[in-house]
Amino acid sequence: RVVAARVGGQALYLDEIRIVGTGAGPEAWVNDELLAQLASESGLEDPTVSSFVQRRARQLYLRDELLSRTSSSVGASIAENVRDRSSSRTFSAIDAPTEEDAFALMRTDSLLYMVERHYFEILLADSMLAESLLTRLRAGQSFQVAAENLSLGQRAALGGDMGFLAGGELTGRGLPGSVGRLEGLSGVISSEYGWHIFLVNGTRPLTDTARVVQSLCQVIEMQRRGEAVDSLLSAARAGRDVEVDESCWH
């Protein structure tokens, strides 16, 4: 193997650069390795942490490899090990949503997809602060002023103004159905991003169909990706013991 760089007993090989790249170049690897070796020599390395980092990196690498492969290669591999799992698909095999897919979804619920609501949002990182703020908003505090002063959302500088959206554009991204049909002030709603408070101060019939169709195509693709991962997880669980000690996660 051709050595591209070496620091002490650690080498960076040319084929490794071709596989994963090195960011800024070999000098970046050299500098990082010098600092890593110095840290180890200074007694800063925790073998348990190092072992976990290596296992976690391998886990993520193999996960991404599986999800990026073609359906035929993954399907063949799964078929060898798991019966009746031929529906398992990876991201590369997912059919791109069409306009008709979006229109079909819109026809399932006219209030969710054919009505635009004027949304405002406040996003906070602390649930207790969100509950306290909600009490003040219900008592008459200005939503837009609170958004400008407290919100972590992208539209905070605009008073939290998200503009007119179809409710399905929000519910399709994990927010509850109550947000999609909201009138007035919402309660505190949690998501992976934090704690939200929404306000709707007006509705109108759908005007920007093209935007909603594009947004819903993204929602449908996200759903299909989730279904593909669920299918792969189902295949992976077959014949494997999975144990979780819930007490370790609280």
Side-chain angles (χ1 to χ4, degrees):
R1 299 175 70 183
V2 177
V3 175
R6 188 187 302 277
V7 176
Q10 297 295 321
L12 173 66
Y13 295 98
L14 180 61
D15 57 345
E16 293 174 328
I17 295 177
R18 289 170 176 168
I19 292 172
V20 298
T22 60
E27 65 276 7
W29 180 88
V30 168
N31 291 340
D32 289 343
E33 184 60 32
L34 284 168
L35 295 174
Q37 291 187 20
L38 181 61
S40 179
E41 291 166 3
S42 301
L44 299 179
E45 182 173 18
D46 183 331
T48 301
V49 174
S50 290
S51 176
F52 171 75
V53 169
Q54 292 172 19
R55 289 186 288 113
R56 179 62 170 157
R58 174 181 177 274
Q59 183 186 72
L60 296 178
Y61 153 66
L62 290 175
R63 178 204 67 185
D64 292 344
E65 282 293 297
L66 177 65
L67 297 179
S68 65
R69 294 297 180 181
T70 63
S71 60
S72 58
S73 63
V74 173
S77 175
I78 291 175
E80 291 177 359
N81 298 287
V82 183
R83 295 193 304 273
D84 301 324
R85 301 290 183 181
S86 59
S87 62
S88 296
R89 302 185 301 171
T90 56
F91 292 168
S92 59
I94 294 174
D95 296 328
T98 65
E99 286 190 2
E100 182 51 40
D101 292 327
F103 282 123
L105 178 58
M106 293 167 68
R107 288 192 290 268
T108 64
D109 191 327
S110 59
L111 289 178
L112 201 57
Y113 300 108
M114 304 301 289
V115 175
E116 290 180 316
R117 291 168 168 80
H118 191 183
Y119 283 96
F120 294 79
E121 176 198 38
I122 294 174
L123 175 62
L124 300 169
D126 183 85
S127 61
M128 294 182 64
L129 176 59
E131 292 288 353
S132 174
L133 177 58
L134 178 61
T135 299
R136 299 197 300 274
L137 292 172
R138 286 172 173 167
Q141 180 172 336
S142 169
F143 191 100
Q144 291 175 272
V145 171
E148 291 176 2
N149 293 332
L150 300 173
S151 179
L152 304 176
Q154 294 181 344
R155 298 299 184 93
L158 301 176
D161 190 348
M162 302 175 72
F164 277 90
L165 299 169
E169 295 180 82
L170 298 179
T171 61
R173 288 170 170 76
L175 291 167
S178 60
V179 174
R181 297 174 174 83
L182 181 65
E183 295 181 7
L185 186 66
S186 76
V188 174
I189 298 167
S190 64
S191 78
E192 61 181 303
Y193 304 106
W195 282 265
H196 309 253
I197 303 173
F198 291 97
L199 172 69
V200 169
N201 69 354
T203 62
R204 70 186 185 190
L206 179 62
T207 59
D208 193 348
T209 304
R211 187 204 74 242
V212 174
V213 166
Q214 182 180 18
S215 178
L216 293 183
C217 282
Q218 295 173 355
V219 168
I220 293 170
E221 183 171 7
M222 289 169 58
Q223 292 172 344
R224 291 177 178 176
R225 283 174 173 249
E227 292 168 357
V229 172
D230 288 344
S231 181
L232 288 171
L233 286 173
S234 179
R237 286 179 182 274
R240 292 180 173 87
D241 293 329
V242 177
E243 298 180 5
V244 177
D245 186 346
E246 297 291 346
S247 65
C248 296
W249 300 86
H250 299 288

